[in-house]
């Protein structure tokens, strides 16, 4: 298969002679610049995607995809009726009522405010990853028994560590609900036995959350037969907005439904914005390399003025001259992009498999950089790099095609 003569000449022009060594150096710098920019962009996008996915999985491991609660933060009465009304909606795979409230935890000589979730041990695993997060104990231990008549409580790992609490220890929960006594109104205090430790990987949750049985929660907060809300799990997390909208339309203003994206909007928006900013910054590296392509082609045109004049005198049309320099710039861009893609994808795979970059667990919620490569991101980087390289060729190629052959070879 014969290659176009324009491409053949472009390849010859890339092999500069000794007296044109500066052009070769600039061409090499351009190629390395594109390689560096493309590889860095692929790695950073993969790491940002990894952070986003890992954070989302950890949040959804503790919280549900959709939450139904009373308008104005009121409790939800007749929750079994609501559950029966929504359980047949499309995408719903699990439903569980819950009670939530703030209490003061007292253990040993320490006291601190925490958030307590009252859950149904049979239904909660259907809406969250609580079983996977449990490091010690089981959900069945939340229910009092003959051997342990005191209701159980499951504490976050960081919370238990901070208090120095172990399995089997007794703790006091002081709720904001007051009861009448001979001394007046006093806070309601209940005793619980530590029956489990959970670790979600999110410091905020592990240091402030605790789980008790939903019946114990209703007694602790004087909620009688009502609950704080109803948690729902879907088979498609991205259908949450549509399902939540259907629930709001079904129940009207009395109840509202929030999806996981709405409840964590600020966090995921910040991650998305950070990804965009990092992509823009690293794209500047590619742009610098593209300007080097522009300068090297301009210098090539100046050096090859005589050759261009001879080609045009031989009858080579302007269109072919244009193609020669476009091919030259695109070749530089393609080589740099291919090398950058290989390096970027290779390092991303290595980061994901060998975890040779460690993070401090005291600062970050993870110990290794999470990596998730997306084909769409890689293709976008490759296309953008080659397209920018093509744009850099237009001006010098146009100038070369417009050279007057008589002027070009007059003094030769």
């Amino acid at each position: 298969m014969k290659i176009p003569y324009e491409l053949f000449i472009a390849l010859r022009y890339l092999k500069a002679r000794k007296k044109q060594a500066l052009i070769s150096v600039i061409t090499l710098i351009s190629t390395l610049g594109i390689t560096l920019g493309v590889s860095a962009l692929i790695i950073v996008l993969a790491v940002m995607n990894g952070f986003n996915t890992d954070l989302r999985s950890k949040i959804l491991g503790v919280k549900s995809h959709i939450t139904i609660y009373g308008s104005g933060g009121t409790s939800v009465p007749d929750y079994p009726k609501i559950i029966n009304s929504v359980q047949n909606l499309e995408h719903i795979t699990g439903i569980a009522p819950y009670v939530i409230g703030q209490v003061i935890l007292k253990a040993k000589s320490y006291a601190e405010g925490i958030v307590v979730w009252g859950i149904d041990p049979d239904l909660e695993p259907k809406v969250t990853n609580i079983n996977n997060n449990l490091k010690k104990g089981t959900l069945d231990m939340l229910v009092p028994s003959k051997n342990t008549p005191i209701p159980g409580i499951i504490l976050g790992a960081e919370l238990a560590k901070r208090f120095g609490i172990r399995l089997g220890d007794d703790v006091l929960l002081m709720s904001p609900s007051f009861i009448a006594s001979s001394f007046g109104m006093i806070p309601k205090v209940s005793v619980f036995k530590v029956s489990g430790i959970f670790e979600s990987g999110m410091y905020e949750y592990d240091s402030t959350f605790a789980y008790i049985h939903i019946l114990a929660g209703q007694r602790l907060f004087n909620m009688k037969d009502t609950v704080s809300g109803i948690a729902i799990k879907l088979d498609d997390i991205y259908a949450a907005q549509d399902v939540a909208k259907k629930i709001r339309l079904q129940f009207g203003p009395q109840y509202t439904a929030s999806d996981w994206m709405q409840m964590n909007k600020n966090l995921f928006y910040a991650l998305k914005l950070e990804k965009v900013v990092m992509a823009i910054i690293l794209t500047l590296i590619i742009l610098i390399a593209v300007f080097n392509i522009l300068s090297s082609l301009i210098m090539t045109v100046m050096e090859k003025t005589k050759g261009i004049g001879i080609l045009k005198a031989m009858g080579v049309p302007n269109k072919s001259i244009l193609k020669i320099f476009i091919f030259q710039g695109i070749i530089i861009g393609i080589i740099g992009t291919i090398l950058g893609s290989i390096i970027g994808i290779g390092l991303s795979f290595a980061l994901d498999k060998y975890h040779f970059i460690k993070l401090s667990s005291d600062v970050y919620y993870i110990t290794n950089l999470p990596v998730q490569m997306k084909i769409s991101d890689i293709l976008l980087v490759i296309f953008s790099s080659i397209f920018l390289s093509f744009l850099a060729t237009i001006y010098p190629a146009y100038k070369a095609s417009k050279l007057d052959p008589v002027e070009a070879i007059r003094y030769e």
Side-chain angles (χ1 to χ4, degrees):
M1 180 180 177
K2 294 180 64 176
I3 64 172
Y5 71 88
E6 296 96 340
L7 179 58
F8 176 78
I9 296 173
L11 291 171
R12 290 294 301 270
Y13 279 0
L14 284 172
K15 302 175 183 178
R17 297 193 299 269
K18 289 184 178 180
K19 67 177 182 179
Q20 298 168 340
L22 181 60
I23 297 176
S24 293
V25 171
I26 295 175
T27 301
L28 179 62
I29 292 173
S30 304
T31 306
L32 292 177
I34 290 176
T35 301
L36 176 63
V38 168
S39 59
L41 197 49
I42 288 174
I43 293 170
V44 168
L45 290 177
V47 171
M48 294 301 298
N49 289 333
F51 267 112
N52 195 308
T53 302
D54 191 70
L55 186 60
R56 184 178 63 219
S57 65
K58 282 181 166 39
I59 289 175
L60 295 182
V62 178
K63 295 187 176 182
S64 58
H65 300 160
I66 296 176
T67 301
I68 301 175
Y69 51 89
S71 296
T74 58
S75 59
V76 180
D78 297 327
Y79 63 90
K81 182 179 178 181
I82 297 175
I83 291 175
N84 289 332
S85 299
V86 302
Q87 64 183 355
N88 294 323
L89 288 177
E90 189 180 6
H91 297 297
I92 292 180
T93 59
I95 304 177
Y98 68 89
V99 170
I100 186 172
Q102 293 183 329
V103 300
I104 294 176
L105 170 69
K106 187 178 186 305
K108 300 181 179 180
S109 58
Y110 299 98
E112 185 178 310
I114 66 168
V115 177
V116 168
W117 290 76
I119 61 172
D120 186 323
D122 296 324
L123 298 178
E124 188 65 21
K126 296 180 180 180
V127 296
T128 65
N129 295 333
I130 187 168
N131 278 334
N132 295 334
N133 293 337
L134 275 176
K135 300 303 176 184
K136 297 178 181 178
T138 63
L139 293 179
D140 296 336
M141 298 173 70
L142 293 177
V143 184
S145 63
K146 291 181 179 180
N147 297 329
T148 55
I150 301 175
I153 184 171
I154 298 173
L155 300 177
E158 292 294 333
L159 181 61
K161 179 181 177 182
R162 191 164 63 249
F163 275 78
I165 297 173
R166 297 182 179 180
L167 288 181
D169 289 350
D170 291 342
V171 298
L172 296 177
L173 295 185
M174 185 183 301
S175 83
S177 301
F178 289 85
I179 58 175
S181 72
S182 56
F183 299 100
M185 302 298 290
I186 61 173
K188 190 171 185 178
V189 179
S190 300
V191 180
F192 290 83
K193 186 174 290 292
V194 178
S195 57
I197 303 292
F198 79 91
E199 187 174 10
S200 67
M202 297 287 290
Y203 181 82
E204 179 186 356
Y205 300 152
D206 295 342
S207 62
T208 59
F209 278 14
Y211 293 102
I212 60 176
H213 196 279
I214 189 169
L215 296 178
Q218 288 172 327
R219 290 193 297 269
L220 185 64
F221 298 113
N222 288 334
M223 297 187 68
K224 298 182 180 179
D225 294 329
T226 66
V227 295
S228 302
I230 300 170
I232 297 175
K233 185 178 182 180
L234 308 177
D235 57 9
D236 179 6
I237 61 174
Y238 297 106
Q241 287 183 328
D242 292 335
V243 176
K245 184 178 179 180
K246 290 178 182 178
I247 293 173
R248 288 193 293 269
L249 291 173
Q250 181 175 343
F251 292 103
Q254 185 179 359
Y255 300 104
T256 188
S258 297
D259 61 85
W260 65 272
M261 289 179 281
Q262 183 180 353
M263 291 185 285
N264 301 281
K265 180 171 60 177
N266 291 338
L267 177 60
F268 286 107
Y269 178 77
L271 285 174
K272 183 178 180 180
L273 182 62
E274 186 176 2
K275 178 182 176 181
V276 171
V277 171
M278 289 299 296
I280 291 173
I281 292 173
L282 291 172
T283 301
L284 293 176
I285 298 176
I286 299 177
L287 283 174
I288 292 171
V290 165
F291 278 110
N292 283 335
I293 293 176
L294 178 65
S295 61
S296 67
L297 288 179
I298 291 174
M299 292 183 66
T300 302
V301 172
M302 295 172 62
E303 290 286 344
K304 302 294 183 180
T305 299
K306 175 186 173 183
I308 295 169
I310 293 173
L311 287 173
K312 298 190 76 170
M314 293 171 60
V316 175
N318 290 346
K319 184 179 179 180
S320 294
I321 300 295
L322 189 73
K323 286 182 179 179
I324 290 171
F325 290 94
I326 288 178
F327 280 144
Q328 188 175 347
I330 289 179
I331 289 169
I332 297 171
I334 289 175
I335 292 173
T337 301
I338 291 174
L339 291 176
S341 299
I342 293 172
I343 294 171
I345 294 172
L347 286 176
S348 296
F349 270 120
L351 273 173
D352 189 35
K353 184 175 182 179
Y354 298 108
H355 306 297
F356 50 82
I357 295 182
K358 301 293 182 181
L359 300 177
S360 172
S361 58
D362 296 333
V363 179
Y364 300 96
Y365 71 93
I366 51 176
T367 56
N368 302 305
L369 279 178
V371 177
Q372 184 187 39
M373 287 183 288
K374 291 185 178 180
I375 298 296
S376 58
D377 286 343
I378 295 173
L379 292 177
L380 179 61
V381 171
I382 292 173
F383 173 78
S384 299
S385 175
I386 295 175
F387 180 69
L388 289 173
S389 300
F390 166 72
L391 290 181
T393 66
I394 293 176
Y395 175 75
Y398 175 78
K399 295 295 289 184
S401 68
K402 294 300 180 182
L403 279 177
D404 185 348
V406 176
E407 292 293 330
I409 60 176
R410 172 178 291 179
Y411 302 105
E412 298 298 331

